[in-house]
Amino acid sequence: MFTPKIPPPDTAPTPGTSLVPPLTGLVHPPACTCHTTPATPTAPVPAAPPARPAVRFTPGSLVVAAAGGTAVVLVVGTVLVSMLLATAITAVSVAVCAVVLRSLLNRPNNR
């Protein structure tokens, strides 16, 4: 099962030959015709539209951005802390249940 499958000597290719025949007689057209002169004159290129002005922050917008970032950090932090707290409470309750079950199973006659 794990031994390699070697073809019989009469069908194995010799080291000097290839299974793929060489490509001969193929003529490829040029990739582009950008180096030739056009037969008809082209229309002038329209001017680019004026650039948009850069974004300017006012002191009010900076305060709003800082307040929004702070609110996002506080909300995400609250969610993460509540998830960690829920995990801790679940772990403690499972541990308490394990201790109670162990005490019940170890001493069934001492109730």
Side-chain angles (χ1 to χ4, degrees), residues 1 5 17 25-26 35 59 69 74 89 97:
M1 179 174 156
K5 306 288 190 275
T17 61
L26 294 177
H35 299 292
L74 289 175
I89 290 172
C97 289

Side-chain angles (χ1 to χ4, degrees), residues 5-56:
K5 306 288 190 275
I6 299 174
D10 59 341
T11 59
T14 60
T17 61
S18 173
L19 295 176
V20 180
L23 299 175
T24 56
L26 294 177
V27 178
H28 296 286
C32 68
T33 58
C34 56
H35 299 292
T36 61
T37 57
T40 59
T42 59
V45 177
R52 293 173 39 184
V55 177
R56 297 177 190 257

Side-chain angles (χ1 to χ4, degrees), residues 54-86:
V55 177
R56 297 177 190 257
F57 289 108
T58 61
S61 65
L62 288 177
V63 169
V64 169
T70 303
V72 167
V73 166
L74 289 175
V75 168
V76 169
T78 303
V79 169
L80 291 177
V81 167
S82 64
M83 289 171 58
L84 180 64
L85 184 62

